[in-house]
Amino acid sequence: MGMENPNLPNPSLRPSSAASPFLSSAPVVGSEASVFRPTPQASSQFPTPPFSSGPGVGSQGPTFRPPPPGRPNELVRPTPPPVSSSYGPPTTGFQHFQNPAMHSTGQGAPPLHTGQPVVPPGPPPTGPPAGPMTLAPVPILSQPQPPSIPMRFPDSTKTEQIHTNIPPSQPFSLSRPNVQPSSASMGPSYATGRGAFQPSFPGEANGRPNSVPQAPPMHPSSFSSQQGGYAPPAAASPFLAQQRSYGPAPSITPIGYPGAQMQHHGIAPPTATAQGLAEDFSSLSLGSAPGSFDAGLDAEALPRPLDGDVELKSLADMYPMNCSSTFLRLTTSGIPNSQSLASRWHLSLGAVVCPLAEAPAGEEVPVVNFATTGIIRCKRCRTYVNPYVTFTDNGRKWRCNMCSLLNDVQSDYFAHLDASGRRVDLDQRPELLKGSIELIAPAEYMVRPPMPPLFFFLIDVSISAAKSGVLEVVAQTIKSSLDSLPGYPRTQIGFITYDSTIHFYNMKSSLIQPQMMVISDLDDVFVPLPDDLLVNLSESRNVVEAFLDSLPSMFQDNMNVESAFGPALKAAFTVMSKLGGKVLIFQSTLPSLGVGRLRLRGDDIRVYGTDKEHLWRVPEDPFYKQMAADFTKFQISVNVYAFSDKYTDIASLGTLAKYTGGQVYYYPSFQSSIHKSKLTHELTRDLTRETAWEAVMRIRCSKGVRFTSYHGNFMLRSTDLLALPAVDCDKAYAAQLSLDETLLTTQTVYFQVALLYTSSSGERRIRVHTAAAPVVADLGEMYRLADTGAIVSMFSRLAIEKSLSYKLEDARNAVQIRIVKALREYRNLYAVQHRLSGRMIYPESLKFLPLYGLAFCKSTPLRGGYGDVQLDERSAAGFTMMALPVKKLLKLLYPNLVRVDDLLLKSYPQTDESDIIKMRLPLTVKSLDARGLYIFDDGFRFVIWFGGSISPDIGRKLLGEDFSGDYSKVSLSPRDNDMSIKLSKMLHKFRENDPSYYQLCHLVRQNEQPREGFFLLMNLVDDQNAGGSSYADWIMQLHRQVQQNA
Ligand SMILES: [Zn+2]
């Protein structure tokens, strides 16, 4: 309790900075901790002796053996599961379940022996012919348990049938001490003897031997206390005498005070940089007298990002060997040459990185194998060889672009230089040509054999789950994804279900049906059969399928309202900690029993608006952060799927995802009939997308600049190493940059992202993205090279983090203050010289920034107050946005609105998404014509708006007789007519182009409240709504503030 209060000292749990809740000083995952090496668990919740068997992970059998290096695709067909009787339940044990109490149904819970296997009911009638799930009467001998536990298996009629399928078996002799992981069990390959984090990641060693100790990342409060100033500590006054004497060319369009047009001027003032960059800025006419703003502004003329995310092209022209902006974007590519210049940049200096983004078509990342040569890196700063290194001395030396060290070219990497100084083999060297490459890492980049892909499912089966239909959808989706899970034939899988007790499933391949074992002692969870709870999927495929077929019916009549989530989570940790992997949690109610139980909170409305308000947005129980730290330490990533119609404390649950590189999926009030397709799509993607396992990421940069803080879903392992137990293309991370030196003397700064990971095929790989950016000497250049998308992404993360320590209002204000400061600074550059006093001026590169800022203040994590967004919804959105790649975030903030009725009526040749997107409309109610049909698409959902005067013909063709019905009950399904088919295709195409989430369709009729307001009107960013100003008013506010103290 109270752990979240930033004023309370708790070094082990309280975030010591915005970015690093588990800094190296924390005992949890300290820099001293060798994360790949499961150390004896001082903080473990499972203080038991180590495994007594198994010399190490790598010796657990062929299952855990990666294919030999160099043969990643060699498939080792699994041998047929041995038909062994050694693990079968004994018939004597089985007799126990003849107890008539087992046959009671409903809430009456039949007593069972704790730890004993119990009889799950059989599969549904449609189940496989193999028959019902096998009873697993395994006596757990090692630890006496209370004689009986309450247990209910609703469908007792199946038990008779089950009895017939019990294979002969022998009692287990596995003793409890064997359940625990330990350093000893990991074998020598798991640990190394070096210091700090280098033992864990020899290949990713920190390359700053000469640099000063890293300063701690900035405290979250800097966001407000510095009034938006994320400037480096040595920042000079933002208004120092750095004003450039140049200004835009005087040929500016005459100022029209009342004339309300916006003008973009392509003006090129003289610049100080060698590149001679042109400077663009725009201005907007505004009335200057207070109170007269409305009259002077034409809202329609304001800039809107109707073309989506338009990226800076000039940098790619300047540095064609840079990695694609899909992987790395800088908030400004003009890196300030001095700290005083940096201090005048209020838009956050830094990068947004999406290391595994899906590469643009035709730009697939080449794979490079240095084989016996070894990976070429700078011996001082450990930078990977890249297109910006230079070769000298007839090819015998290469100079590091980061630290300038002259490295020897080893003999087997040597090539002569031609007359122009190019290596003669350059064309065969992707690592010297491409900004993005993927290196095959040799053994020295491993501290243990590459882990197999591992999926563990933790499923709440309490009454809420049974009633909503979640179980059926989850079971079906997992089953249908089995063939597509990455990593065949090494993939591992396991399941735990829970309500007031925890249910384990023995999936050993020799079984025909899984055996279920129930543990009711929640205080000290005993994990039975740890070796058979996690199985090789291809070997145990039949048992896994039998389980998934049975799961929904097993609990369909479950009346248990409790959820022993925390104990189940710890059990999952115990099972997985040997290998790592992904745990997917399906939670349908508030965790109510055992450790980590949560309580209803956030309903005291008086707290809102006070300095305690943020406490509802962070976990109350330190259990969640502690578990997240433990999971990360053992390479386990957590994804949370939450379904409740009531408060579930997503703030706490999501913490597990936040610090383990995971993701939160939220389906409030899940109903299978409505949400099935969304859950199916998103779970399928989660299971089947390419995943990088046991990863760490570091972003290097040239001497003189330094990344100081990181923002996203991960845990910081040392000052600059991000621990990412699992990464995929849908995850992005932001990092803020500051200048180490007062003055940069170089002309270019380089960045290099290195992600060291294990691929699903069992290869250790390093993905390397390299980019260069010019060092600039004036603020105008920084503005000109600004990237609104990266800035918005950074701002969003900073503001969401701020909302975890401050009031929502403070977080919103901080966004506004930063924009104002930036615009004011820009104004100081140009306005005076050109007598633009009555105009709002802004850089062309940032023309959408104010609008995105407004959209962000109206977004779910920051919007309004208590009554505007439910607490869980707010938390879930915050966790989601912290991980979104830039384009996805921009679309969420300023969604697509298109009118489609004309397209449906006309014989439109084909549904070409790119054409339709060109018809995007401003997000205002003025865009809506009562005769039209519109699609609103924010990437997470579609809202289909039917105008009040829409042709009944269109309505009937799309909805049939439901056209005049209650749209909350109507779903859009394809009908047998051109128009309906065309609309379906269009939506399908939209989804195909934006696949990370599934967009459910919500139908809305004009003036049908509150539905129209909730789904559409509230999200029309340009209008006054969601507790926020209209776009025009917002611009007025900004302008007024910019002029103050200008
Ligand atoms: Zn170097």
Side-chain angles (χ1 to χ4, degrees), residues 32 67 315 483 485 508 512 541 641 824 900 979 998:
E32 300 307 312
L315 192 70
D483 283 331
L485 291 185
K508 194 175 172 60
I512 295 169
R541 176 70 180 254
Y641 290 75
R824 185 185 295 154
V900 295
M979 199 179 287
Y998 182 87

Side-chain angles (χ1 to χ4, degrees), residues 768-785:
V768 181
H769 301 297
T770 309
V775 173
V776 301
D778 71 82
L779 197 57
E781 287 300 312
M782 291 184 72
Y783 280 111
R784 205 191 70 76
L785 293 169

Side-chain angles (χ1 to χ4, degrees), residues 951-1007:
S951 146
D953 181 49
I954 297 180
R956 290 214 182 80
K957 279 188 170 152
L958 297 178
L959 300 177
E961 292 313 306
D962 288 337
F963 172 51
S964 45
D966 175 359
Y967 281 11
S968 66
K969 297 186 174 65
V970 176
S971 65
L972 192 70
S973 47
R975 290 164 191 276
D976 190 16
N977 62 68
D978 276 359
M979 199 179 287
S980 179
I981 291 168
K982 214 178 282 181
L983 180 62
S984 293
K985 278 187 183 166
M986 202 182 280
L987 297 178
H988 178 74
K989 192 79 183 167
F990 285 176
R991 287 184 180 123
E992 218 174 53
N993 286 322
D994 188 5
S996 28
Y997 291 85
Y998 182 87
Q999 299 83 19
L1000 264 188
C1001 259
H1002 302 275
L1003 305 186
V1004 165
R1005 183 190 284 120
Q1006 186 176 15
N1007 297 328

Side-chain angles (χ1 to χ4, degrees), residues 570-648:
K570 290 178 69 170
F573 173 76
T574 305
V575 175
M576 299 175 73
S577 55
K578 268 198 293 184
L579 287 174
K582 260 170 88 161
V583 55
L584 289 85
I585 295 167
F586 300 90
Q587 186 66 22
S588 293
T589 186
L590 188 69
S592 60
L593 291 180
V595 62
R597 62 183 167 274
L598 298 169
R599 63 185 184 91
L600 286 173
R601 56 190 186 127
D603 50 0
D604 184 355
I605 197 165
R606 290 167 303 178
V607 172
Y608 285 85
T610 73
D611 58 5
K612 292 207 164 34
E613 163 194 312
H614 68 277
L615 293 174
W616 306 137
R617 297 190 283 270
V618 290
E620 188 172 53
D621 187 343
F623 170 79
Y624 287 89
K625 280 187 178 174
Q626 180 63 53
M627 281 307 292
D630 289 346
F631 275 121
T632 300
K633 191 172 177 180
F634 288 87
Q635 303 299 339
I636 301 164
S637 171
V638 180
N639 282 2
V640 176
Y641 290 75
F643 304 101
S644 181
D645 54 347
K646 302 188 189 70
Y647 178 72
T648 336

